[in-house]
Amino acid sequence: MIRVLIADDQDLFRAGFSMILGVQPDITVAGEAADGASAVEAAVRLRPDVVLMDVQMPGMDGLEATARICATTRAKVLVLTMFDLDDYVYDALRAGASGFLLKDIRRQELAEAVRVVAAGEALLAPTVTRRLVETLVRRPSHGVIPRLAAGLARLTERETQTLRLMARGLSNAELAAELVVSENTAKTHVSRVLTKLDLRDRAQAVVFAYESGLVVPGEGPADGG
């Protein structure tokens, strides 16, 4: 059973998300929070598998709450917002979020998003992924950070190839097809990449691939679609 914490300052959204997820056979709503500070406290106390996190909340915002939750718990954070803005995308992923979706998604898509994130996959809407890449293109380059370069040096050739494909948003099945291996082998490659680079999940791998200079924005497909 996937335990979910819903953090949103609007009662209507919390009630709606709770109703949608509460009827799913494999998902249970463990609690709710109306602001970032309450979300952090609830995440530590309730130990949810996934936190649905609004961005704009009074006091501590969703980005700061995401960073604190990711630093102190094993919960995956799925950021939900009405605002498709570049800085939110980049900052949410840097804070440790595993997914970023807009609030206008359909109810079944929300439930599926929770399942995907709980399973350790990154989940980004195609428009969000494109905006992330555009943001990275606009940011001034200060060269490759030595720590990131050292991380890349720990990867084998096949693991480096896997990271490139992960940055393009490929699923495990698509990775397997591209690498001409079984899906289980593809999962093993992904796991080794995350372990060697000390990354939480695929979303962090995407950010790492671009910030390390391994993948250059615009050199290939970035939205997986």
Side-chain angles (χ1 to χ4, degrees), residues 3 5 31-33 36-48 51 69 73:
R3 292 168 52 80
L5 170 66
E32 299 180 6
S38 298
V40 174
E41 184 277 329
V44 172
R45 175 170 49 86
L46 299 174
R47 298 187 178 279
V51 179
I69 289 172
T73 77

Side-chain angles (χ1 to χ4, degrees), residues 89-148:
V89 177
Y90 186 79
D91 292 342
L93 293 176
R94 285 296 305 272
S98 297
F100 195 109
L101 294 174
L102 303 183
K103 286 183 176 179
D104 62 358
I105 62 173
R106 293 189 293 271
R107 62 176 60 198
Q108 193 53 43
E109 290 177 331
L110 176 63
E112 187 56 31
V114 168
R115 295 185 183 102
V116 169
V117 169
E121 299 278 356
L123 194 146
L124 300 173
T127 57
V128 169
T129 308
R130 284 195 294 271
R131 285 180 179 274
L132 170 62
V133 173
E134 290 166 3
T135 300
L136 290 168
V137 169
R138 290 198 302 271
R139 286 177 180 261
S141 174
H142 301 292
V144 177
I145 301 173
R147 174 180 58 81
L148 302 184

Side-chain angles (χ1 to χ4, degrees), residues 4 18 24 27 36 51 72 74 77 80-81 93-94 108-109 116 136 198 200 203-204 210 216:
V4 178
S18 183
Q24 302 298 318
I27 299 174
V51 179
T72 57
R74 298 179 64 84
V77 177
L80 285 160
T81 181
L93 293 176
R94 285 296 305 272
Q108 193 53 43
E109 290 177 331
V116 169
L136 290 168
D198 193 26
R200 288 172 61 90
Q204 296 299 290
Y210 282 103
V216 178

Side-chain angles (χ1 to χ4, degrees), residues 159 162 172 175 181-195:
E159 289 163 354
T162 299
N172 285 333
L175 276 173
V181 297
S182 70
E183 190 166 342
N184 282 337
T185 299
K187 290 180 181 178
T188 298
H189 289 324
V190 169
S191 179
R192 287 175 177 168
V193 168
L194 298 180
T195 299

Side-chain angles (χ1 to χ4, degrees), residues 7-14 33-35 54 56-58 103:
D8 196 299
D9 65 329
Q10 297 188 44
D11 292 343
L12 202 57
F13 278 117
R14 292 201 309 275
D35 57 65
D54 186 26
Q56 293 192 341
M57 293 188 288
K103 286 183 176 179

